[in-house]
């Protein structure tokens, strides 16, 4: 074979081989009130080993759900809520650690992120078959039961100072579970994986980091078009999360009421329609996407810019047209799709 | 036999290169839609079909019926006997890797395609 043709043939073969080597093993199921997908991409992992590890990751996610859910009165969070205003509850180090991380986000954002928002979330009840706008008096009442300064954590003891207060870890627990699942895979030698809990993504790719790497393509869902995507970017090891007003919502008198509530007002935050955060891990991405959404466009972008290793996309709507702003580290790395 | 590159070699090389680049970038950037819809009930596959075949599927879960519609390359839950209807409000999905889920009925609808072999996540 002539030399030039030989090189062309080798190049074509190499391109084909590199795609085959990905060898994904994936499993999907349900947990934490949403879908869960765990995928490994290790070429040297046997099918049996890959699925055994994926099952271990699922077991960890289910364990965390059991501990953190506020739907069950017997979970650790459920017990704290049940005994609010009455008694101190001894909890695990894991719950303490997550609560402390949550309270830290609350302090950094002057309460834009607040895990004591449970009473407000319950008043809106976005998961009911026919959600309604709560009355103003109801909102005023539940606002009095909201405030991160009334969450007391001392050692492993937790106390909510007001009867009727409720913790809701919906803005952080999925990200935490993603990180734990990734950790299980990582500790067992998996080098490449993506864990997805309801759009909260954990990308683990050994030797890569954040938006400086281009291993995994991330599609950002379109806030206003079902089944379409708004744009895409590429990342290496990172946590990616999006909070959007299109995820859980209803219309009343032509107004969209969505599930991302401003703890200061008790009503849905209105300034933006979606926030995507890329951070070092999924816990940070999850919490920060909610936090930045509540802060709004200007304050939210400043919050992102002030944090090293955090990048974000803020999308807002003006007169029916979507606009977006990228944090400095994402400039030239996000490709918007044709609307 | 004469050495060196002939005119025919050049045409063949350019053709191969274009095919390779076309398939690679086409997969990566343009062909994001899925090709197959898979419906699972309690982690078991109960239905699998081409996403381009329009049809209506009904699956019976713990809370009752989940009615699924496949239409012009998209899939949606159009009715569900469940308390919260999150699956119905999810709307239409069409991208490879997309899912629609009815948690109370444990019905999972997945869209797969060539793209699911790539390293991709969907957020939002």
């Amino acid at each position: 074979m002539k030399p030039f043709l030989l090189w062309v043939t080798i190049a074509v073969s190499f391109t084909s081989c590199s795609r085959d080597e990905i060898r994904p093993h994936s499993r999907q199921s349900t947990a934490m009130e949403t879908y869960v997908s765990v995928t490994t991409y290790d070429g040297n992992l046997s099918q049996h080993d890959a699925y055994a590890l994926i099952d271990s990751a699922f077991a960890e996610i289910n364990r965390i759900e059991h501990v953190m859910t506020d739907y069950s009165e017997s979970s650790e969070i459920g017990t704290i809520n049940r005994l609010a205003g009455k008694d101190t509850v001894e909890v695990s180090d894991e719950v303490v650690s997550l609560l402390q991380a949550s309270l830290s986000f609350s302090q950094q954002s002057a309460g834009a992120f607040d895990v004591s928002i449970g009473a407000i979330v319950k008043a809106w009840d976005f998961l009911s078959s026919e959600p309604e706008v709560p009355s103003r008096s109801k909102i005023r009442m539940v606002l009095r039961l909201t405030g991160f300064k009334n969450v007391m954590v001392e050692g492993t003891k937790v106390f909510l100072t007001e009867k009727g207060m409720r913790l809701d870890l919906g803005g952080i627990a999925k990200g935490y579970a993603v990180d734990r699942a990734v950790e299980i895979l990582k500790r067992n030698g998996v080098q490449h994986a993506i864990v997805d809990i309801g759009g909260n993504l954990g990308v683990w790719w050994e030797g890569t980091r954040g938006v400086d790497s281009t291993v995994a393509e991330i599609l950002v869902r379109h806030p206003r078009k079902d089944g379409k995507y708004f744009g895409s970017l590429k990342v290496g090891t990172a946590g990616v999360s999006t909070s959007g007003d299109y995820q859980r919502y209803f219309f009343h008198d032509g107004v969209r009421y969505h599930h991302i509530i401003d703890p200061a007002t008790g009503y849905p935050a209105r300034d933006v329609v979606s926030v995507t955060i890329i951070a070092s891990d999924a816990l940070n991405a999850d919490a920060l996407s909610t936090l930045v959404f509540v802060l709004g466009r200007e304050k939210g972008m400043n919050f992102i810019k002030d944090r090293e290793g955090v990048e974000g996309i803020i999308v807002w709507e003006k007169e029916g047209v979507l606009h977006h702003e990228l944090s400095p580290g994402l400039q030239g790395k996000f490709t918007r799709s044709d609307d | 036999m004469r050495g060196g590159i002939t005119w025919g070699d050049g045409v063949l090389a350019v053709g191969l290169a274009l095919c390779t680049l076309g398939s690679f970038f086409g997969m990566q950037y343009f062909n994001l839609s899925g090709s197959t819809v898979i419906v699972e009930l309690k982690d078991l596959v109960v239905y699998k079909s081409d996403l381009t075949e329009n049809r209506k599927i009904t699956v019976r879960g713990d809370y009752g019926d989940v009615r699924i519609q496949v239409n012009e390359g998209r899939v949606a839950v159009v009715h569900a006997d469940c308390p919260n209807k999150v699956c119905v409000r999810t709307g239409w999905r069409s991208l490879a890797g997309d899912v629609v889920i009815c948690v109370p009925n444990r019905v999972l609808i997945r869209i797969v395609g060539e793209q699911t072999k790539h390293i991709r996540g969907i957020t939002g």
Side-chain angles (χ1 to χ4, degrees):
Chain A
M1 190 179 282
K2 290 164 180 129
F4 183 69
L5 264 185
L6 180 66
W7 282 113
V8 169
T9 310
I10 290 170
V12 171
S13 309
F14 181 76
T15 307
S16 307
C17 284
S18 62
R19 271 216 297 273
D20 292 344
E21 280 169 9
I22 291 172
R23 284 190 202 169
H25 294 101
S26 189
R27 189 159 280 171
Q28 288 82 27
S29 189
T30 60
M32 304 183 93
E33 297 294 316
T34 187
Y35 69 90
V36 179
S37 172
V38 178
T39 308
T40 63
Y41 297 91
D42 281 23
N44 56 355
L45 213 55
S46 73
Q47 183 165 312
H48 178 269
D49 288 351
Y51 283 118
L53 291 171
I54 288 170
D55 286 347
S56 302
F58 269 102
E60 179 67 354
I61 292 165
N62 289 328
R63 184 192 67 76
I64 292 166
E65 178 181 20
H66 188 69
V67 173
M68 305 296 175
T69 182
D70 60 322
Y71 289 107
S72 160
E73 287 201 343
S74 60
S75 72
E76 290 193 45
I77 298 302
T79 306
I80 295 169
N81 290 344
R82 182 165 46 84
L83 296 177
K86 297 177 195 164
D87 210 349
T88 299
V89 179
E90 183 87 27
V91 296
S92 61
D93 290 341
E94 183 176 41
V95 168
V96 169
S97 168
L98 201 55
L99 283 180
Q100 282 171 339
S102 303
L103 295 175
S104 172
F105 285 122
S106 300
Q107 281 153 3
Q108 291 173 50
S109 64
F113 182 88
D114 194 335
V115 285
S116 72
I117 200 170
I120 298 179
V121 171
K122 195 177 177 196
W124 281 93
D125 198 8
F126 281 92
L127 285 179
S128 76
S129 56
E130 290 178 8
E132 291 177 348
V133 180
S135 66
R136 287 189 182 278
S137 60
K138 177 81 174 170
I139 294 288
R140 275 198 297 273
M141 189 188 83
V142 290
L143 276 175
R144 286 198 289 271
L145 299 173
T146 305
F148 68 93
K149 288 175 181 166
N150 293 330
V151 180
M152 303 297 155
V153 183
E154 285 182 21
T156 53
K157 290 179 177 166
V158 180
F159 179 57
L160 305 182
T161 61
E162 306 297 321
K163 193 179 172 187
M165 266 185 85
R166 291 177 65 86
L167 295 177
D168 182 326
L169 300 184
I172 196 167
K174 290 186 188 73
Y176 172 69
V178 166
D179 288 338
R180 286 294 311 150
V182 167
E183 188 62 26
I184 295 282
L185 299 173
K186 199 170 153 181
R187 279 192 192 169
N188 285 283
V190 173
Q191 294 174 313
H192 315 123
I194 295 182
V195 176
D196 177 357
I197 303 183
N200 295 279
L201 306 173
V203 178
W204 160 238
W205 212 268
E206 198 169 51
T208 67
R209 196 179 67 166
V211 295
D212 295 334
S213 310
T214 56
V215 172
E217 183 182 34
I218 305 297
L219 301 182
V220 179
R221 210 178 283 290
H222 201 293
R224 293 292 180 262
K225 291 182 182 174
D226 277 355
K228 302 287 181 189
Y229 73 103
F230 183 72
S232 65
L233 69 152
K234 292 192 172 185
V235 300
T237 295
V240 183
S241 180
T242 298
S243 291
D245 70 358
Y246 55 93
Q247 293 162 332
R248 283 179 184 170
Y249 67 94
F250 63 90
F251 280 100
H252 179 75
D253 289 341
V255 177
R256 179 191 292 258
Y257 290 91
H258 63 84
H259 75 299
I260 306 165
I261 306 293
D262 183 343
T265 65
Y267 287 90
R270 291 281 178 215
D271 201 31
V272 301
V273 301
S274 105
V275 172
T276 299
I277 295 288
I278 302 99
S280 57
D281 56 42
L283 183 148
N284 274 284
D286 189 8
L288 290 177
S289 63
T290 306
L291 185 159
V292 169
F293 192 107
V294 172
L295 284 179
R297 189 183 154 197
E298 197 177 328
K299 284 184 184 170
M301 188 50 80
N302 287 337
F303 194 93
I304 293 170
K305 286 175 182 171
D306 285 345
R307 268 142 197 90
E308 198 168 332
V310 176
E311 302 295 343
I313 305 159
I314 298 180
V315 183
W316 70 95
E317 191 172 26
K318 191 177 178 187
E319 293 166 359
V321 179
L322 294 181
H323 304 268
H324 74 277
E325 184 177 357
L326 305 175
S327 61
L330 278 183
Q331 299 294 334
K333 295 179 179 175
F334 176 74
T335 308
R336 185 165 169 175
S337 69
D338 297 329
D339 282 8
Chain B
M1 191 179 284
R2 216 159 41 96
I5 301 167
T6 66
W7 184 83
D9 286 346
V11 170
L12 184 61
V14 170
L16 279 170
L18 284 176
C19 286
T20 306
L21 288 171
S23 66
F24 183 74
F25 288 106
M27 288 275 202
Q28 292 270 315
Y29 298 109
F30 302 118
N31 190 14
L32 295 164
S33 298
S35 58
T36 306
V37 59
I38 297 173
V39 180
E40 294 179 16
L41 174 66
K42 297 177 182 176
D43 295 330
L44 292 174
V45 174
V46 293
Y47 188 83
K48 188 174 179 178
S49 167
D50 196 309
L51 196 56
T52 57
E53 289 174 19
N54 295 351
R55 59 184 61 205
K56 292 173 183 172
I57 308 147
T58 299
V59 179
R60 193 160 187 79
D62 289 342
Y63 281 76
D65 288 348
V66 177
R67 291 211 291 271
I68 300 156
Q69 194 169 338
V70 182
N71 188 33
E72 295 176 356
R74 306 179 304 162
V75 64
V77 172
V78 292
H79 169 86
D81 293 325
C82 63
N84 53 43
K85 311 279 190 278
V86 168
C87 51
V88 178
R89 279 183 254 149
T90 298
W92 294 92
R93 292 287 186 250
S94 62
L95 302 173
D98 254 339
V99 291
V100 185
I101 193 163
C102 177
V103 174
N105 282 307
R106 291 187 62 196
V107 172
L108 178 69
I109 303 157
R110 297 192 283 129
I111 300 176
V112 298
E114 272 301 305
Q115 304 73 26
T116 48
K117 292 177 184 169
H118 291 262
I119 306 151
R120 175 176 296 154
I122 302 174
T123 183

